[in-house]
Amino acid sequence: MELFQNEAACQTPLDRQYHTEIRALNKAKGRRNQRIFTYTDHDRYTNCLPLHQMQNDLVSTTKSSPTFLAERMANVRHRRQERRTMDSSIPKSRIINWDPTEEFVKSSRVVNNAMQTMHIMGDLGPPGKLGQKENECLLATIKTDGSGTIIVKPDFNKGREPYRIVTEGEKREVWRFTLENVSTVMKPEERDREQNMYKDLYGRHKEYLNSLVGQDFEMPPVGILRYLLHGEIVSAKGYEYDNLYINFFMELPNNWSSLPFQPLSGVTQTCRTKSLGKENVAFFGYPFSFEAFYMSEKESEGQ
């Protein structure tokens, strides 16, 4: 509220949207709730916050200490900017560490899924002293990804005891709060309509894929054998000189033919040799494909 009510501080369209909403709130004599607010992924303000403000163990609510992974995850920005050089080609950090230390392994083994995060915060300061950073407390975190997964932590109370937060300072106040899912339940007819919509969508997509592939299997003409050859010229050894290349030709026997545009020859790249034992070997790894047809008036099993 303090930052974005000043128009000069607004840089992005989202900032300007917040500015418009804050002006509307001020005209309507302020917001109804003075204590509940949020930090979201898209807020420029959230990225400027010190990391320790985003960490709240809620030990009093879960009655357990945070795990090693939880502590590591608290320090991860979910959309971490890749560290790149000025020409935006190669990351500054080494991609592969061939000799990792134990500390490096611990610091690197972090789950970092691309999830959007919203922190629901509570201002637990005494009346008249709202808006101070030290009184902010994380109440709940909601995360969602592109596949429809939503993670709420801590969980909804569902009739259980409220969560407790004990503030620090002179007056150790105890705050109780509950998390409820108040979304309206989808009506049966709406659920059926949604299922039918999905079925229709999947059916249309299947028809589209079938139209791309087609139903016909390509068959050679009657009485003709079709021969497909996929080969590779792997290596050559035993030659006296270096920088070898192979010029190869296909010779078709009687009754065999190929397509008019099918080349019957080829040449590999030039390859330098490597010493393997007493021999010099040139490794080409040169793939080639060839298609030929056999047609004979006399059918015989030996062909």
Side-chain angles (χ1 to χ4, degrees):
M1 291 284 286
E2 292 172 6
L3 176 69
F4 293 124
Q5 68 184 355
N6 182 7
E7 192 171 1
C10 299
Q11 297 178 4
T12 66
L14 186 64
D15 294 353
R16 287 187 278 274
Q17 178 189 330
Y18 287 159
H19 175 72
T20 305
E21 292 174 355
I22 289 169
R23 286 183 61 186
L25 280 171
N26 290 336
K27 284 182 180 179
K29 298 180 180 179
R31 49 184 175 150
R32 289 179 296 172
N33 191 315
Q34 298 288 334
R35 293 190 183 270
I36 304 293
F37 61 99
T38 62
Y39 292 133
T40 74
D41 250 4
H42 295 288
D43 291 343
R44 180 170 55 86
Y45 184 64
T46 306
N47 296 328
C48 304
L49 289 173
L51 285 172
H52 67 83
Q53 285 189 319
M54 291 286 97
Q55 301 177 30
N56 188 307
D57 298 335
L58 287 175
V59 175
S60 61
T61 66
T62 57
K63 296 185 173 59
S64 63
S65 58
T67 62
F68 164 73
L69 183 62
E71 287 179 344
R72 292 291 307 146
M73 286 301 297
N75 292 310
V76 172
R77 292 299 304 153
H78 284 286
R79 274 203 292 267
R80 185 171 48 190
Q81 295 294 322
E82 209 171 6
R83 290 168 292 178
R84 291 189 176 275
T85 53
M86 290 300 288
D87 60 352
S88 298
S89 55
I90 305 171
K92 287 181 181 176
S93 56
R94 285 182 300 169
I95 296 174
I96 298 175
N97 188 346
W98 294 107
D99 189 23
T101 62
E102 188 176 344
E103 189 61 32
F104 177 82
V105 172
K106 272 189 173 183
S107 63
S108 300
R109 196 170 290 172
V110 177
V111 181
N112 188 18
N113 293 332
M115 302 191 81
Q116 292 187 30
T117 307
M118 180 174 77
H119 301 285
I120 300 178
M121 311 292 291
D123 189 342
L124 306 186
K129 292 184 179 180
L130 298 181
Q132 298 180 5
K133 291 275 191 295
E134 60 268 17
N135 295 327
E136 291 183 9
C137 182
L138 178 63
L139 303 180
T141 301
I142 300 175
K143 299 179 184 179
T144 179
D145 61 10
S147 61
T149 303
I150 297 178
I151 300 172
V152 180
K153 187 175 181 180
D155 198 2
F156 300 119
N157 290 81
K158 299 174 184 174
R160 292 189 295 266
E161 289 291 315
Y163 294 112
R164 297 172 71 251
I165 293 179
V166 181
T167 59
E168 298 177 358
E170 299 176 5
K171 295 182 179 180
R172 294 179 61 84
E173 294 181 322
V174 178
W175 292 79
R176 293 180 175 85
F177 74 96
T178 59
L179 278 176
E180 295 181 28
N181 181 6
V182 294
S183 304
T184 55
V185 180
M186 187 181 287
K187 297 178 181 178
E189 55 268 20
E190 292 177 348
R191 192 183 299 115
D192 293 342
R193 193 183 311 129
E194 184 182 70
Q195 291 297 326
N196 292 333
M197 183 185 68
Y198 278 125
K199 286 179 182 177
D200 185 45
L201 178 66
Y202 295 147
R204 291 186 183 183
H205 188 62
K206 187 177 179 182
E207 290 174 5
Y208 170 68
L209 294 178
N210 287 338
S211 68
L212 293 179
V213 175
Q215 301 292 333
D216 298 330
F217 187 80
E218 187 180 349
M219 296 291 290
V222 179
I224 295 181
L225 297 178
R226 184 184 186 192
Y227 182 69
L228 291 168
L229 170 66
H230 300 287
E232 180 185 3
I233 297 175
V234 180
S235 60
K237 62 183 178 180
Y239 289 87
E240 296 179 39
Y241 301 103
D242 202 356
N243 296 323
L244 304 176
Y245 67 90
I246 294 177
N247 199 346
F248 58 94
F249 301 89
M250 300 287 183
E251 186 177 344
L252 295 175
N254 293 335
N255 299 324
W256 284 87
S257 62
S258 65
L259 296 170
F261 55 84
Q262 173 88 53
L264 296 177
S265 64
V267 61
T268 68
Q269 76 276 20
T270 302
C271 183
R272 299 176 66 175
T273 59
K274 292 183 179 180
S275 297
L276 286 182
K278 297 180 180 179
E279 291 184 313
N280 290 336
V281 183
F283 291 99
F284 292 100
Y286 183 88
F288 62 91
S289 297
F290 186 72
E291 187 174 359
F293 298 89
Y294 173 79
M295 182 173 63
S296 177
E297 296 176 359
K298 297 179 182 179
E299 290 188 9
S300 61
E301 296 178 0
Q303 296 291 347

